[in-house]
């Protein structure tokens, strides 16, 4: 097992975020970013990066995750339905900024590169989906959400609008918008009560 130097790991993740930060005039896109450029910015060798990450996409995903998880926590100390609202709002707030455009680029890369898609699912999507499902299951156990539906389906209904708005730049990613989405999902859309 390879033991990482925490200093080098942090330097690599910080260098990647710096290079991708669109607020800088010399920012790169995910597509134009390279392992060589990350290594040069971080002051490490390419070999060091490849020892810990299999690809550029894996570095970018871990860079994003390093910041994302800290800024989008799932609280355990409040009722699940409130935790869902806070989580949904925190994700939308992060995605409303430059990090949202970064994740958009990453998702775009996934569409034509199966290896990037596999890394995205392994390092980010799978874990975050399970976090959402666990939260939905907790809400079901607390009787805040009906328990006769798939927790995954409920998670998709609640979280998918964020990605739709992010990827198509169509609709606000604001706390108010997230509250409206959650309220609509929880209330349902049938006016007659029929399925």
């Amino acid at each position: 097992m390879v033991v990482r130097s925490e200093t080098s790991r942090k330097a690599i993740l910080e260098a990647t975020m710096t290079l991708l930060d669109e607020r800088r005039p010399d920012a790169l896109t995910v597509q134009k970013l390279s392992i060589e450029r990350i290594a040069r910015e971080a002051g490490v060798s390419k070999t060091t990066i490849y020892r810990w990450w299999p690809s550029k996409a894996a570095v970018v995903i871990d860079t994003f995750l390093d910041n994302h998880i800290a800024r989008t926590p799932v609280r355990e100390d409040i009722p699940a339905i409130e935790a869902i609202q806070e989580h949904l709002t925190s994700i939308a707030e992060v995605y409303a900024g430059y990090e949202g455009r970064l994740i958009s680029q990453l998702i775009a890369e996934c569409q034509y590169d199966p290896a990037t898609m596999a890394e995205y699912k392994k390092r980010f999507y799978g874990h975050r989906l399970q976090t959402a499902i666990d939260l939905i299951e907790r809400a079901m156990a607390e009787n805040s959400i009906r328990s006769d539906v798939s927790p995954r389906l409920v998670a998709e209904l609640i979280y998918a609008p964020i990605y739709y708005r992010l990827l198509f730049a169509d609709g606000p990613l604001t706390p108010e918008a997230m509250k409206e989405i959650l309220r609509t999902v929880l209330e349902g859309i049938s006016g007659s009560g029929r399925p």
Side-chain angles (χ1 to χ4, degrees):
M1 178 177 177
V2 176
V3 178
R4 298 188 196 200
S5 157
E6 188 60 19
T7 302
S8 294
R9 186 191 79 84
K10 284 189 175 192
I12 292 163
L13 296 178
E14 286 173 10
T16 304
M17 188 56 88
T18 297
L19 291 167
L20 293 170
D21 188 344
E22 70 175 23
R23 297 171 297 185
R24 293 170 38 114
D26 58 344
L28 300 173
T29 62
V30 171
Q31 189 175 23
K32 291 185 178 177
L33 183 68
S34 67
I35 291 291
E36 293 80 4
R37 190 70 177 88
I38 296 169
R40 190 166 59 241
E41 183 78 18
V44 300
S45 69
K46 290 192 308 182
T47 308
T48 299
I49 295 174
Y50 281 121
R51 187 179 308 135
W52 299 332
W53 289 280
S55 65
K56 168 186 78 173
V59 179
V60 173
I61 293 164
D62 281 1
T63 298
F64 180 77
L65 257 179
D66 209 47
N67 291 295
H68 182 74
I69 299 296
R71 294 180 58 198
T72 60
V74 175
R75 291 180 56 185
E76 298 286 336
D77 62 326
I78 58 176
I81 205 71
E82 291 176 30
I84 292 168
Q85 179 66 62
E86 283 193 17
H87 189 235
L88 196 65
T89 299
S90 67
I91 292 172
E93 287 174 340
V94 169
Y95 284 1
Y98 78 97
E99 289 170 313
R101 289 179 287 285
L102 173 59
I103 200 71
S104 293
Q105 291 177 48
L106 197 52
I107 292 170
E109 289 261 322
C110 290
Q111 303 314 299
Y112 66 86
D113 182 2
T116 299
M117 178 67 85
E119 288 294 329
Y120 180 77
K121 286 182 174 180
K122 175 182 155 191
R123 293 174 178 272
F124 180 75
Y125 178 76
H127 169 71
R128 296 311 277 173
L129 175 60
Q130 191 57 54
T131 297
I133 290 170
D134 292 347
L135 191 50
I136 300 301
E137 288 175 343
R138 183 157 67 94
M140 288 176 170
E142 294 172 3
N143 294 315
S144 299
I145 294 176
R146 54 186 257 216
S147 59
D148 63 333
V149 291
S150 158
R152 180 180 175 133
L153 178 58
V154 175
E156 290 172 355
L157 291 170
I158 291 172
Y159 289 91
I162 292 177
Y163 290 92
Y164 175 84
R165 290 173 183 217
L166 174 67
L167 295 173
F168 291 99
D170 187 22
L173 288 169
T174 63
E176 297 74 29
M178 296 307 103
K179 287 176 187 168
E180 182 181 8
I181 287 167
L182 182 58
R183 181 184 51 75
T184 302
V185 170
L186 293 176
E187 290 177 2
I189 60 171
S190 175
S192 64
R194 292 192 309 261

